[in-house]
Each structure stands twice: as structure tokens, then as C-alpha cells.
Amino acid sequence: NTIEFAGALHATVVKQVRLKNPGKNTLAYNAAVVGRDAAGFSFPKGDTVSIPAMRQGFINVKFTVRFLHPAEAVLILVSNKVYGIDGATLVFSLKSEVKNIDPLGKIKCRSPCYEL
């Protein structure tokens, strides 16, 4: 699965990843981002999530678009044992896309176009 972070240059985009637990035991996951542009991604509400039995949990991933080239990284969710129960490791591809560039300001100047 791919999670896309699309926005204007220098915009901050937060995506919420929903995790479902269909089992009868609580699951816990530790999140990590690895890859070429991993430093640009973070977890504003922490890198761990606990999911009660038959419920769902959420983890937020934040990215600030700093460059015009698409950023790429991988989100890995590794299960912690809770009461001896281990969940499957989950992997997501993270990609960014610059949708537009808004100017920070405008400068007026006068200059001759041509001089001999």
C-alpha cells in the first residue's frame, strides 16, 4: 500500500493510518520510517500505537514538503508482544508530490532590458 503526501511546496501534510485488530487480544506496534527521505517524516503523536481487541487504532505520519523532487520512504510497523501475542509486521510505501508552488512574496524592480 502507498500513502501519498501531496501539497504545496513548504506545506505540512499529516496522514492518519488506520489499523484494525480483528483478533481477541490487544496488539501494539512500534513505527519507524526508513529510506532515502526518512528524515522528512515524523510521528507527531508518538511512534507507538495500541489496538484493543476487535477495535481499530490510528497513527499519524507528518511530512513537510521541502523539495521539488518526490520524497520516498517506507513506514514499518513492528508488533510488540502484548500478553504473548504477536501481530504481523506491516509495511507501507510513503511518497510525496508537489501540487503547487505558492510565492512567499513579490518584489518589484526596474531595470533596463538592454544596454549598449
Side-chain angles (χ1 to χ4, degrees):
N1 289 340
T2 300
I3 302 169
E4 293 188 16
F5 294 80
L9 187 63
H10 302 295
T12 298
V13 181
V14 178
K15 292 287 184 161
Q16 191 175 58
V17 180
R18 180 176 62 169
L19 306 168
K20 292 183 181 180
N21 180 4
K24 296 180 182 179
N25 298 306
T26 299
L27 292 176
Y29 284 95
N30 282 337
V33 177
V34 296
R36 180 185 74 191
D37 300 308
F41 295 89
S42 63
F43 305 103
K45 293 186 177 180
D47 62 352
T48 60
V49 62
S50 181
I51 310 164
M54 306 301 286
R55 291 278 182 101
Q56 59 188 7
F58 299 93
I59 188 158
N60 292 329
V61 182
K62 181 172 95 170
F63 179 72
T64 300
V65 182
R66 290 192 174 101
F67 303 105
L68 290 175
H69 72 82
E72 295 180 1
V74 176
L75 169 64
I76 302 174
L77 295 162
V78 180
S79 174
N80 282 339
K81 284 190 176 184
V82 178
Y83 306 116
I85 304 299
D86 229 355
T89 298
L90 305 172
V91 179
F92 299 91
S93 175
L94 306 176
K95 293 187 179 187
S96 75
E97 181 182 358
V98 176
K99 288 291 188 181
N100 61 333
I101 302 172
D102 296 327
L104 296 176
K106 295 180 181 180
I107 298 174
K108 286 186 176 184
C109 64
R110 266 193 141 144
S111 175
C113 292
Y114 175 76
E115 286 185 27
L116 281 173

